Amino acid sequence: MSPSADRALDLQNGAEPLHEPGLAVHVEDLTVSYHEKPVLFDIDLNVPPGVMCAVVGPNGAGKSTLIKSILGLVKPTSGHITLHGLSYREVRSRVGYVPQRSTVDWDFPTTVLDVVTMGLYGRLGWFKRPGRHERRKAEEALRLVGMEDFARRQISQLSGGQQQRVFLARALVQEADVYFLDEPMAGVDATTERAIVKILGRLRDAGKTVIVVHHDLQTVTTYFDWLVLLNVRVIAQGPVQETYTAENLRAAYGGQIALLDRGAPAE
Amino acid sequence: MNGALAFLSDYTIQNVAFGAAILGTISGVLGVFAVLRQQSLLGDALSHAALPGICLGFLLAGSRSLPAILAGALLTGILAALVILVLTSRTRLKTDAAIGISLSVFFAAGVVLLTYIQGTGNASQGGLDTFLFGQAAAILRSDLYVMGAIALVGLGIVAAFWKEFKLVTFDPDFAGSLGMPVRRIETALTLLIALAVVVGLQMVGVVLMAAMVIAPAVAARQWARSLGAMVTLSALAGIVAGASGALLSSLASGLATGPLIVLAATLLVIVSLLFAPQRGILWSVIRRRRAAHHLRGRQVLATIHDLASAHHDTSYPAEQSMLDAYHGLGTGAVLSRLEGRGLVRRTTHMPQEGPHWELTEEGRAQARESLGETPPESA
């Protein structure tokens, strides 16, 4: 059993039996609908710990919604979700999250260091303010993403790639076992993309589970070892070598063949 | 001097100044969250929706009892916020439409109630119409205690939940992933804005109270580099605008206080939008001019360099009128700036034909660099 799953057992207070504790993410019969039409339909999903997993699918496939449902940000119509066998409420402190960069107002009056410190707000609890300890942790995370010189910079002065690194640093201070990243490589420069992939790879090598909503089919096989192909339903899931096939991609993307010509493997 | 002292020790004036300070603080602080959450218009809806509550409070209490009136105002303000919430979540109406509908319906109901009360011949004694545009002089010392207590509660809540308010305002999804009750915090922020509106009703009135929520925060955003600084500056701007507007209105009788306060706040906004470092319009104009100058300089350097290369003569003197023709009129200013930077020099090639220019060594290097002929040395 993996060390993280062991810890899941420690965390559990014994009353309820663990639900698939050996899986980093376990989703059963998940359906989400905002209006009448389902955004996600009957999703069954299993991600083992210690993998770097891409969630791939066309626009409107429900990739972000899947992540948000797992994190309890979206109320599902039906379904059951556990992380390391526990409900999200119970494992919250072991989960790191990088939302889409475009969902926040980067003109907010604050500094890079302050944004990274926000990753520790959950641990601080009500009424407590971040102090020196939190600041040091944030500085450390900024070093990891190569942004230590930007700590005092206003976030409104950052480039897209720098914004993304700051968001990644904020997730790193969470010191989680499972990380969810929503389109971290969208619209960033090549240097940032390389840096992000390197950091995520290191997390995976340390036994963490990294789940990434990804948009670039061409890099799936180089960056990831696990794949979830999504288009409202799960089209395929499993190790990249087994799931990244032309047939599966066609099933996920339907008529958008142009995309496949460049990104898809030979049949 | 004596006049000024007498003025400042005047009972009414003191009340007005204190009231303005209380109002400025609370609306300035909470306005920051409204503006950053892009909900400025919510303040407008909440303040207009206070009018029916004011009238109901008056009718129920049977007199101009401030606690009853403010409680009524708070109640209908919250009701309006609820209506907006329900309209946006249960129908396909967008927020702006929902706010517009709620604002006008509640205000209409308020005006109907107000005219009804006036019809009973009660309003002028009650002075209820002063709640439309505010009247600082009508404020009593006891009113200040009510306003102050409400403001203290509001500020206390902001201080206690500072980090939660901050994160929910900046990144609600992330806040939710940490387990913060995002919906409840957002509701609390909305209720607090209703509270701030209530504090300002007597002074500014329902029609313009939204400006006191929005303007100080907008002015403060121009100068602040952190949320704490923005909140502090916004409160200060609110106090300054409130006090100066209120004092002006009590200098002459019959001047409506609210509009004067709002005009004072607007003045702060204009100054901030123009002159704040980094963000001010003035600085960005200067920056853009500098960039344009720089670009034109580089273009002229490149032209001289091209002419020289075309003539296979590195010190080929380019005639200024020819440069004018290449670039449209007026390279004279650009050239003398370049001369000042030591990139070009005048040559006395043929004095009778007007000024000629050639590149200096450094000018040549810069021209090559901007033409991409040689990579810059740092690369």
Side-chain angles (χ1 to χ4, degrees), chain A residues 88 107 114 125 128 154 170, chain B residues 163 166 171 177 221 225:
Chain A
Y88 183 70
D107 197 38
D114 193 43
K128 282 207 204 76
Q154 286 285 295
R170 185 178 67 175
Chain B
K163 113 178 156 299
K166 178 162 133 189
D171 191 347
S177 84
R221 175 66 195 99
R225 294 174 54 83

Side-chain angles (χ1 to χ4, degrees), chain A residues 68 73 88 92 97 99 104 107-109 114 118 121-122 125-129 152 154 157 167 170 174, chain B residues 36 159-164 166-167 170-171 173-174 176-179 181 221 225-227 230 278-279:
Chain A
K68 286 186 179 175
L73 299 174
Y88 183 70
R92 206 154 46 205
Y97 176 40
V104 307
D107 197 38
F108 195 87
D114 193 43
M118 290 175 188
Y121 280 10
W126 297 98
F127 308 119
K128 282 207 204 76
R129 300 276 178 96
R152 312 264 156 225
Q154 286 285 295
Q157 295 167 0
F167 259 23
R170 185 178 67 175
Q174 296 185 277
Chain B
L36 288 177
F161 298 103
W162 176 257
K163 113 178 156 299
E164 285 76 17
K166 178 162 133 189
L167 187 52
F170 173 60
D171 191 347
D173 276 350
F174 189 74
S177 84
L178 295 182
R221 175 66 195 99
R225 294 174 54 83
S226 72
L227 186 63
M230 184 172 169
Q278 309 254 340
R279 303 172 67 91

Side-chain angles (χ1 to χ4, degrees), chain A residues 4 9 13 15-17 19 22 24 33 62 76 78 86 99 125 160 173 227 233 238 252:
Chain A
S4 41
L9 280 168
N13 28 25
E16 223 175 288
H19 207 78
S33 50
S78 69
L86 297 165
V173 298
L227 175 65
R233 301 156 193 264

Side-chain angles (χ1 to χ4, degrees), chain A residues 111-114 139 142 147-154:
Chain A
T111 59
V112 165
L113 189 71
D114 193 43
E139 278 164 356
L142 277 176
M147 290 282 291
E148 64 271 32
D149 296 338
F150 291 80
R152 312 264 156 225
R153 193 72 71 87
Q154 286 285 295

